[in-house]
Amino acid sequence: MSFLSLKEIRFNSVTELCAEVLEGKTHLGMRHCPHDRDPRPPSTIWEFRDDGTIYHPHSDMCVTTYRTAEGRADAQMRRCVPGDRHQYWKYEWCRAKKYDYRSLPTTSVVIAFYNEAWSTLLRTVHSVLETCPAILLREVILVDDFSDRGYLKHQLEEYMSKLERCASHPHQQAGGAGARPAHRRHPTPRGTVLTFLDCHCECVPGWIRTTPGEVRG
């Protein structure tokens, strides 16, 4: 695989293929690379940013990788989160406070949703996975509040099954306080503390470290 001056991600095989992202899609695709003198299709143009991210200008998304349930590595597109949105704490005393993660209780993050947009819901899930220390996060549980959008059924369950420490519970009346007893109809959450999140939010590094400490007292 090579990144060329033409801003393509090119796979050098018997027939050269270039990575692209089609309109409205979140997965990488392949197409025959255009000849050197042909114009570059917008779907095949990429940027390597200084922070190490691979950016796709046409879809305004970045490449993210994850490990599937079978242990294979896979890649897909997600919204790029600018660095200034992942700053730690604004106040010096917050940034200076130290936490012993090994002494904090673990947590299961529960997210109830109803007809949420695909990208918004997955952005919430990935922000939890990317900002919670593995030693604290036992699992992310999605609880469906009787959504009727097709992509929130089997497609969502299949996607979540490929992520580590994630599960989707479909067709459960959840919203508000309903999400709290929903776990009674399913295997008991593994975390010591249950953390309930809104289905359209983006977590920043450090957000989880204060809550378990307060619950522990």
Side-chain angles (χ1 to χ4, degrees):
M1 183 178 72
S2 60
F3 181 75
L4 306 181
S5 59
L6 295 174
K7 297 185 177 181
E8 296 170 342
I9 299 178
R10 180 169 294 204
F11 293 81
N12 298 308
S13 57
V14 176
T15 302
E16 290 191 324
L17 299 176
C18 286
E20 71 169 347
V21 180
L22 298 177
E23 190 74 33
K25 302 295 184 181
T26 59
H27 285 79
L28 293 172
M30 296 293 156
R31 62 170 293 163
H32 292 295
C33 301
H35 297 292
D36 292 342
R37 296 183 179 180
D38 292 341
R40 306 293 101 180
S43 61
T44 65
I45 296 177
W46 303 82
E47 292 180 11
F48 271 117
R49 292 180 165 179
D50 293 337
D51 61 0
T53 56
I54 303 176
Y55 174 61
H56 189 252
H58 186 62
S59 63
D60 192 26
M61 294 189 293
C62 289
V63 177
T64 183
T65 59
Y66 64 92
R67 189 167 296 278
T68 67
E70 295 80 18
R72 298 192 302 268
D74 203 351
Q76 79 164 63
M77 308 303 296
R78 68 181 290 272
R79 178 184 174 192
C80 303
V81 180
D84 59 359
R85 297 187 64 179
H86 271 196
Q87 295 295 327
Y88 277 82
W89 307 102
K90 178 179 179 181
Y91 299 106
E92 183 63 31
W93 65 270
C94 292
R95 294 196 300 267
K97 189 171 183 179
K98 304 298 182 182
Y99 292 85
D100 180 8
Y101 287 160
R102 296 186 180 278
S103 68
L104 296 177
T106 60
T107 185
S108 293
V109 175
V110 182
I111 303 172
F113 65 93
Y114 170 74
N115 282 348
E116 191 60 61
W118 176 265
S119 60
T120 305
L121 182 59
L122 295 187
R123 185 162 64 246
T124 301
V125 172
H126 280 282
S127 73
V128 173
L129 294 174
E130 293 169 7
T131 59
C132 286
I135 196 173
L136 294 182
L137 180 65
R138 296 302 303 272
E139 60 195 339
V140 178
I141 302 172
L142 295 185
V143 182
D144 184 3
D145 192 11
F146 281 99
S147 299
D148 54 21
R149 296 182 179 177
Y151 59 81
L152 296 175
K153 309 302 182 183
H154 177 70
Q155 182 178 348
L156 179 61
E157 292 181 56
E158 183 178 10
Y159 182 92
M160 293 292 287
S161 70
K162 297 177 181 179
L163 302 178
E164 294 182 356
R165 297 172 295 168
C166 289
S168 177
H169 298 324
H171 316 305
Q172 299 296 333
Q173 189 168 2
R180 291 167 174 79
H183 69 276
R184 298 173 185 170
R185 298 183 291 272
H186 297 281
T188 303
R190 296 178 294 169
T192 305
V193 175
L194 294 182
T195 302
F196 295 89
L197 284 185
D198 192 86
C199 58
H200 44 269
C201 65
E202 287 187 41
C203 302
V204 298
W207 73 275
I208 193 62
R209 63 185 185 177
T210 57
T211 304
E214 293 297 325
V215 172
R216 183 190 59 180

